[in-house]
Amino acid sequence: MATTTTVAAYRAALFAAMQADGTLGAIQVAYGSPYDARREEGIWLGRSLDLGSSDDPYLKSGRRSRQESYEVEVTLFVASQKTAPASEIRAAVLIAALEDILALDTTLSVDGVLYALPTSFTWDTNLGGDGGTPATEVTFTIQVEGRLQ
């Protein structure tokens, strides 16, 4: 069982699952933001935020068992469609693929992870001024709960 944190293992497992997915694997999948190397469609891991942990007070010595809680952000980007509504519909297809990965195995088989659930998202569509291509960016938040030894 994990002893320090499950963050790195969970992020690596999520990245591998996104690469292996039939829908997401066909677009740019990155471990972090590709910045200027961003393609027309992509998905990447964003920041992780610690939500705190709690110790089990009944243990007096040795490594304490504790709960771990954190968020992992995943960003989806779509600039492959000709209209803003089409861009948003394509983004929804990519979100569904990500949700399917999480529904199939909420722990992604990471030792120490109890469950991971999508909790929120931010959604923004830019119309691409002067007749440019619209772009939709969605940052999806996954809350992960773990048990550390």
Side-chain angles (χ1 to χ4, degrees), residues 12-99:
L14 181 57
F15 177 69
M18 291 187 312
Q19 285 182 309
D21 180 76
T23 300
L24 298 179
I27 65 173
Q28 179 183 28
V29 179
Y31 202 83
S33 175
Y35 295 106
D36 293 337
R38 179 187 304 195
R39 297 187 194 144
E40 285 186 340
E41 293 186 345
I43 185 169
W44 58 87
L45 296 176
R47 68 185 186 145
S48 293
L49 175 66
D50 178 29
L51 299 177
S53 61
S54 60
D55 292 339
D56 288 338
Y58 55 84
L59 294 176
K60 300 292 183 200
S61 63
R63 188 174 284 278
R64 292 181 180 222
S65 177
R66 65 189 187 281
Q67 294 290 123
E68 177 180 46
S69 181
Y70 57 91
E71 293 176 341
V72 175
E73 291 181 349
V74 178
T75 299
L76 301 116
F77 179 78
V78 176
S80 60
Q81 307 299 311
K82 298 202 183 304
T83 67
S87 183
E88 291 189 344
I89 289 168
R90 177 63 178 156
V93 168
L94 299 179
I95 289 170
L98 179 59
E99 288 178 330

Side-chain angles (χ1 to χ4, degrees), residues 63-149:
R63 188 174 284 278
R64 292 181 180 222
S65 177
R66 65 189 187 281
Q67 294 290 123
E68 177 180 46
S69 181
Y70 57 91
E71 293 176 341
V72 175
E73 291 181 349
V74 178
T75 299
L76 301 116
F77 179 78
V78 176
S80 60
Q81 307 299 311
K82 298 202 183 304
T83 67
S87 183
E88 291 189 344
I89 289 168
R90 177 63 178 156
V93 168
L94 299 179
I95 289 170
L98 179 59
E99 288 178 330
D100 288 347
I101 289 170
L102 297 172
L104 183 64
D105 179 4
T106 62
T107 69
L108 296 177
S109 300
V110 174
D111 191 34
V113 171
L114 300 173
Y115 64 88
L117 300 171
T119 57
S120 64
F121 61 85
T122 60
W123 189 296
D124 185 37
T125 297
N126 181 322
L127 297 179
D130 295 331
T133 303
T136 299
E137 185 170 298
V138 180
T139 300
F140 195 77
T141 303
I142 302 165
Q143 184 172 339
V144 182
E145 297 292 329
R147 183 93 179 138
L148 305 173
Q149 292 295 329

